[in-house]
């Protein structure tokens, strides 16, 4: 039986570990945290992400954990509508709806599909061996894990990527995101999904049905060094004059529900997503391969696409054959597509995060003048994707 080691148990790592185990590989999943992924906040899953999850066996559970998103509205801070986009037609056009899910629910659903995977938590990989003679291996300073295939699913700051693709760099976007899920009993009723764009600041709201309301606040600058309750105070002040229910949602949030993160992407992307090492190799997956700013809401969807693509290629590979061909095909199927979306997300971030008066006014004019065109193109970016078909 061939052996894979997956580094990182986020969305991408959980998904690919399950897919490789179903392809009858012996799989070890290494995660630096002391327990399997603890998810904060929520995610939008676009039709491509939903298709990937269906192919990964998680489709049926989505009815229970996913909240359909029907419309999205872009407003100015005073509440005036700049643009609307209906997402209801996505299901018809792309064969799957757009769904909002709590990260933890998605992690739990993927964990339930892990099957026969050996899970090792509390293991922080800090060394990578990629010499042709012995094949790929990763270590944590105490132990080494050798494998035919190492999958780097260790996120934007991937240790494995730094070792095999040092040319790729994490590039700060210049803004920070704060997010929280306010439980239903504390959240307001009748909150609708949408985004409000100001000058260098934005606020996104996504209702999660019985699970509450997810919000994300974005502001220019670095993460704040203050405690979470001081950060909440700051957010209250920054968004004080913004339309309802923004102030109420911040007020209903507890400090321990708040999470801040500097936004960044990879620029340039790694030259190759698949690196041959002897008869085996290393595959980069999810944010480790193509971390992007969250403006398109596609990062996790693309990680799921990577996982089912790699799983399918491995399933089709001739048993025992070198992995060169699998890794080259993985690179061909994934690199161009993800590079395009990373660039689009960066451009959308520059447009939505405009700060100067001229920039804000140009953005608002663009949104009002082409209200559905721009938004529809952004929401549909990447939606048109289907899992590769298995040839066997
Ligand atoms: C504010 C915000 C909103 C977003 N909204 C959306 C959205 O709506 N839709 C969407 O599709 N995407 C969204 N994204 C993007 C999405 O969150 C990421 O693309 C996705 O989580 C990437 O998954 P991953 O598994 O590749 O990496 P991660 O989720 O970063 O997981 C990496 C895992 O590896 C572990 N790890 C790291 N280093 C090591 C190591 N050395 N050894 C062992 N383990 C290690 C970590 O602990 C972690 O569990 C958003 C991102 C942000 C910041």
């Amino acid at each position: 039986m061939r052996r894979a080691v997956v580094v990182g148990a986020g969305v991408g790592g959980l998904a690919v570990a399950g897919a490789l185990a179903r392809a009858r590989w012996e799989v070890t999943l290494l995660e630096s945290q002391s327990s399997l992924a603890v998810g904060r906040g929520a995610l939008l899953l676009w039709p491509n992400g939903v298709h990937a999850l269906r192919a990964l066996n998680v489709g049926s559970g989505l009815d229970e954990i996913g909240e359909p998103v029907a419309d999205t509205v872009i407003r100015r801070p005073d509440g005036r509508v700049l643009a609307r986009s209906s997402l209801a037609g996505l299901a018809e056009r792309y064969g799957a709806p757009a769904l909002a899910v709590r990260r933890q629910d998605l992690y739990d659903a993927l964990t339930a599909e892990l099957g026969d995977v050996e899970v090792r938590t509390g293991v922080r990989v800090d060394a990578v061996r990629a010499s042709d003679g012995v094949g790929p291996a990763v270590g944590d300073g105490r132990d080494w894990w050798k494998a035919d295939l190492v999958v780097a699913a260790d996120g934007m700051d991937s240790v494995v990527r730094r070792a095999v693709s040092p040319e790729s760099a994490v590039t700060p976007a210049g803004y920070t995101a704060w997010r929280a899920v306010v439980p239903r009993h504390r959240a307001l009723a009748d909150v609708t999904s949408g985004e409000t764009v100001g000058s260098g600041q934005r606020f996104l709201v996504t209702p999660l049905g019985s699970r509450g309301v997810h919000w994300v606040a974005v502001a220019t600058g670095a993460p704040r060094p203050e405690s979470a309750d001081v950060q909440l105070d700051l957010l209250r002040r920054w968004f004080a004059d913004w339309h309802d229910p923004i102030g109420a949602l911040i007020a209903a949030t507890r400090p321990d529900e708040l999470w801040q993160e500097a936004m960044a992407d990879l620029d340039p992307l790694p030259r190759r997503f698949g690196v041959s090492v002897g008869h085996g190799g290393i595959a980069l997956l999810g944010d480790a391969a193509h971390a992007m700013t969250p403006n398109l809401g596609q990062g996790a969807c693309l990680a799921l696409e990577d996982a089912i693509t790699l799983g399918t290629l491995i399933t089709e590979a001739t048993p025992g054959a070198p992995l060169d061909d699998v890794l080259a095909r993985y690179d061909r199927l994934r690199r161009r597509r993800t590079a395009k979306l990373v660039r689009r997300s960066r451009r959308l971030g520059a447009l939505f995060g405009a700060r100067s008066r001229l920039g804000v006014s140009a953005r608002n004019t663009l949104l009002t003048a082409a209200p559905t065109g721009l938004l529809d193109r952004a929401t549909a970016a990447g939606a048109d994707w289907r899992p590769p078909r298995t040839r066997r």
Side-chain angles (χ1 to χ4, degrees), residues 25-308:
W25 277 49
E26 191 183 318
V27 184
T28 301
L29 176 60
L30 305 177
E31 166 58 45
S32 57
Q33 294 189 49
S34 54
S35 60
L36 263 199
V38 179
R40 286 173 176 269
L43 288 167
L44 267 181
L45 293 174
W46 296 101
N48 52 313
V50 173
H51 280 302
L53 280 169
R54 286 177 181 163
L56 286 159
N57 280 4
V58 180
S60 54
L62 282 175
D63 287 348
E64 235 169 79
I65 62 171
E67 183 68 17
V69 187
D71 288 300
T72 187
V73 182
I74 303 217
R75 297 174 194 275
R76 296 185 347 175
D78 62 8
R80 186 130 40 106
V81 173
L82 289 167
R84 278 178 201 279
S85 177
S86 168
L87 305 186
L90 286 177
E92 208 173 301
R93 217 172 329 145
Y94 300 109
L99 299 173
V101 291
R102 277 191 339 139
R103 257 170 214 269
Q104 190 59 60
D105 292 338
L106 181 59
Y107 288 167
D108 291 346
L110 289 166
T111 303
E113 288 300 326
L114 275 180
D116 212 5
V117 170
E118 182 201 12
V119 178
R120 299 282 305 269
T121 54
V123 174
R124 175 171 294 280
V125 167
D126 62 7
V128 180
R129 221 161 46 194
S131 49
D132 279 359
V134 275
V138 290
D140 70 346
R142 268 186 22 190
D143 297 309
W144 282 95
W145 287 265
K146 287 190 212 154
D148 300 287
L149 176 67
V150 166
V151 183
D154 47 345
M156 174 145 50
D157 294 312
S158 170
V159 166
V160 184
R161 184 196 63 243
R162 284 181 205 280
V164 296
S165 293
E167 74 281 0
S168 181
V170 174
T171 306
Y175 45 90
T176 296
W178 287 261
R179 50 184 150 143
V181 173
V182 182
R184 188 181 167 98
H185 64 273
R186 263 187 282 131
L188 311 166
D190 299 331
V191 174
T192 53
S193 69
E195 176 160 1
T196 304
V197 288
S199 153
Q201 290 167 338
R202 296 151 61 187
F203 201 93
L204 284 85
V205 178
T206 312
L208 301 170
S210 61
R211 292 166 172 85
V213 177
H214 180 230
W215 62 259
V216 181
V218 179
T220 308
R224 304 293 303 201
E226 297 93 342
S227 63
D229 48 348
V230 177
Q231 289 172 37
L232 269 176
D233 259 353
L234 272 175
L235 292 170
R236 247 176 244 132
R237 270 190 275 139
W238 289 344
F239 294 95
D241 299 330
W242 290 39
H243 67 82
D244 290 339
I246 291 173
L249 282 172
I250 299 174
T253 305
R254 291 188 179 153
D256 63 344
E257 290 160 350
L258 189 70
W259 181 252
Q260 68 166 345
E261 230 170 312
M263 297 296 96
D265 61 17
L266 287 185
D267 188 18
L269 291 192
R271 257 197 304 272
R272 284 172 298 158
F273 285 4
V275 180
S276 296
V277 182
H279 277 246
I282 298 177
L284 307 179
L285 179 144
D287 277 11
H290 45 70
M292 61 201 294
T293 53
N295 301 295
L296 291 174
Q298 275 286 358
C301 296
L302 293 178
L304 293 166
E305 288 184 15
D306 294 345
I308 188 62

Side-chain angles (χ1 to χ4, degrees), residues 82 351 354 356-369 374:
L82 289 167
L351 179 73
S356 68
R357 273 174 83 150
L358 201 65
V360 169
S361 148
R363 175 200 62 207
N364 291 358
T365 308
L366 197 66
L367 281 166
T368 351
L374 182 76

Side-chain angles (χ1 to χ4, degrees), residues 313 316 324-334 391:
L313 294 174
E316 287 178 350
D324 309 30
D325 186 43
V326 165
L327 293 166
R329 286 180 68 201
Y330 175 69
D331 186 71
R332 267 201 306 281
L333 287 171
R334 301 309 301 152
R391 284 186 295 194

